[in-house]
Amino acid sequence: MLPPALEAEILAAKLPKFRAKQLSEWVWDKFAGAYDEMTNLPKELRVLLAEELPITPLALVKTTQSGDDTRKFLFRLADGNLIESVLISAPGRLTACVSSQVGCALACSFCASGLQGLVRNLAPSEITGQIQMLQSIQKERISNIVYMGMGEPFANFDNVLESVAILNHSKCAGIGARKITISTSGLVPGILKLIRDPRQVRLSISLHAATDEIRNRIMPINQRYPIAELMRACRKYQADTGRMITFEYILLDGITCTQEQADALARLLRGIRCTVNLIPYNTVEGLPYRRPPLPAQKSFLHTLMDARVRATLRMEKGHDISAACGQLRLQNLESLPSDS
Ligand code: SAH
């Protein structure tokens, strides 16, 4: 909750206002995961709060550690649905990748998250709850947030922006807006609405192909918002906000990772201040795609660089535990191994 909402709850429960401040400090500064940790609160109050005002709507079901510095967390929501979040550590930063929906309606053909469609939107507290849980497990402050887990953030626009407000608020998680990135598969109305939001969050576009012919094949959303319309929205976003844009581009062998697509991409992005993140395809069981060989990946990168488009080839983390881009999928408890 934002501080005014929390204060209202506290006052409604006939408690003194300063309790609200104590609660936020415990949750957001001292990473408390349970009321019992809040030692300066009277015992009876802790019992009461635990019943009346659950500290988070999430329960940790399972943690998976990868060979690199990536960990995946499976959380159960109050209604039994499951979501995943990922923590990625690097020197000087701890990035959380959060989900915005249970499942996803967009059905991009290379992505595990949309294989079984959309179940429902996450509430703001179920998004902020992921950060709260991760910090309380880790007992460490998260420095960066990417809305790149399960779901399409702009299909749940209001709740996502409400969660950003809470995570950004100095009395809550206090994470700088510039350290928060929202990634979209290209929902144009969401991009245009983001222009009007006062917070300076970063925008990332899952472009993945440079021509409608290829993009229609792999991302059904392109039939609704084709590339020209998407790029118009991106240019407007940049003109009105002055902010950089990141374009994500998946490398699928023989489909998106070709010389023609690289040339078309360089032409498409001319005049836009942006970085292209090339993401070599991560294996999703049952899908027909292949990751291109490294020389093909590098050749794509060099075509962009030669055309003076800023680009990086992403070093994937968490692939071994299916925590990498596009590998988060709907799960149900029955399918989990019995040790979890
Ligand atoms: N729905 C939003 C947020 C998801 S971000 C969006 O599309 O931007 C997850 C990123 O991983 C997206 O860029 C997505 O297209 C990409 N992705 C999906 N499946 C992938 C796969 N198998 N390999 C690599 N990247 C993938």
Side-chain angles (χ1 to χ4, degrees), residues 51-123:
E51 276 169 21
E52 299 293 321
L53 200 63
I55 202 163
T56 167
L58 271 55
L60 179 65
V61 176
K62 190 177 177 210
T63 309
T64 321
Q65 170 81 49
S66 87
D68 53 44
D69 296 323
T70 305
R71 262 183 303 156
K72 187 165 76 164
F73 300 84
L74 183 67
F75 295 115
R76 189 188 313 103
L77 306 172
D79 66 0
N81 276 306
L82 298 166
I83 54 167
E84 293 185 305
S85 319
V86 181
L87 261 187
I88 306 135
S89 356
R93 72 160 75 180
L94 182 63
T95 303
C97 176
V98 296
S99 293
S100 56
Q101 297 182 308
V102 182
C104 183
L106 294 184
C108 298
S109 68
F110 44 80
C111 181
S113 299
L115 285 177
Q116 295 171 70
L118 175 68
V119 177
R120 70 168 174 87
N121 283 336
L122 293 185

Side-chain angles (χ1 to χ4, degrees), residues 104 106 108 110-112 147-153 183-186 204-208 219 248 250 279-284 287 314 316 324-327:
C104 183
L106 294 184
C108 298
F110 44 80
C111 181
Y147 284 76
M148 296 189 184
M150 219 193 290
E152 165 52 48
S183 181
T184 179
S185 58
S204 183
I205 308 280
S206 296
L207 185 60
H208 297 332
M219 298 180 74
E248 312 287 332
I250 190 168
I279 321 176
Y281 168 67
N282 296 312
T283 316
V284 175
L287 297 187
R314 190 180 288 180
E316 215 55 56
C325 302
Q327 293 184 312

Side-chain angles (χ1 to χ4, degrees), residues 74-278:
L74 183 67
F75 295 115
R76 189 188 313 103
L77 306 172
D79 66 0
N81 276 306
L82 298 166
I83 54 167
E84 293 185 305
S85 319
V86 181
L87 261 187
I88 306 135
S89 356
R93 72 160 75 180
L94 182 63
T95 303
C97 176
V98 296
S99 293
S100 56
Q101 297 182 308
V102 182
C104 183
L106 294 184
C108 298
S109 68
F110 44 80
C111 181
S113 299
L115 285 177
Q116 295 171 70
L118 175 68
V119 177
R120 70 168 174 87
N121 283 336
L122 293 185
S125 62
E126 293 169 326
I127 303 174
T128 58
Q130 296 170 61
I131 300 300
Q132 204 184 317
M133 284 294 274
L134 294 174
Q135 290 194 148
S136 86
I137 293 164
Q138 189 81 2
K139 297 290 178 212
E140 191 183 339
R141 192 169 288 283
I142 283 165
S143 62
N144 297 66
I145 300 176
V146 294
Y147 284 76
M148 296 189 184
M150 219 193 290
E152 165 52 48
F154 285 169
N156 185 16
F157 191 91
D158 292 343
N159 289 352
V160 162
L161 269 283
E162 171 79 9
S163 72
V164 168
I166 296 168
L167 294 170
N168 177 237
H169 197 288
S170 60
K171 297 208 170 85
C172 298
I175 297 167
R178 287 191 182 82
K179 305 216 158 149
I180 300 177
T181 302
I182 301 182
S183 181
T184 179
S185 58
L187 261 57
V188 166
I191 299 170
L192 297 177
K193 270 204 272 182
L194 189 66
I195 296 175
R196 295 195 294 273
D197 191 87
R199 273 166 287 269
Q200 310 227 327
V201 293
R202 289 179 186 274
L203 176 64
S204 183
I205 308 280
S206 296
L207 185 60
H208 297 332
T211 59
D212 284 327
E213 189 219 335
I214 304 287
R215 199 164 190 266
N216 281 336
R217 257 171 67 191
I218 58 175
M219 298 180 74
I221 190 69
N222 196 63
Q223 281 148 29
R224 213 151 103 213
Y225 305 111
I227 291 179
E229 195 180 337
L230 174 58
M231 297 313 290
R232 239 190 335 270
C234 289
R235 284 177 202 278
K236 177 159 174 50
Y237 171 89
Q238 186 144 81
D240 291 5
T241 65
R243 284 176 237 152
M244 278 262 295
I245 299 180
T246 303
F247 290 96
E248 312 287 332
Y249 190 98
I250 190 168
L251 297 174
L252 301 171
D253 195 25
I255 302 172
T256 62
C257 187
T258 64
Q259 188 60 45
E260 298 82 73
Q261 286 293 304
D263 292 332
L265 185 60
R267 276 196 303 278
L268 190 66
L269 299 181
R270 200 169 288 152
I272 300 185
R273 278 194 308 117
C274 63
T275 303
V276 177
N277 252 335
L278 299 175

Side-chain angles (χ1 to χ4, degrees), residues 11-25:
L11 292 175
K14 310 250 178 314
L15 294 167
K17 194 168 143 191
F18 73 90
R19 294 291 182 207
K21 186 161 173 275
Q22 282 182 318
L23 290 185
S24 319
E25 283 171 0

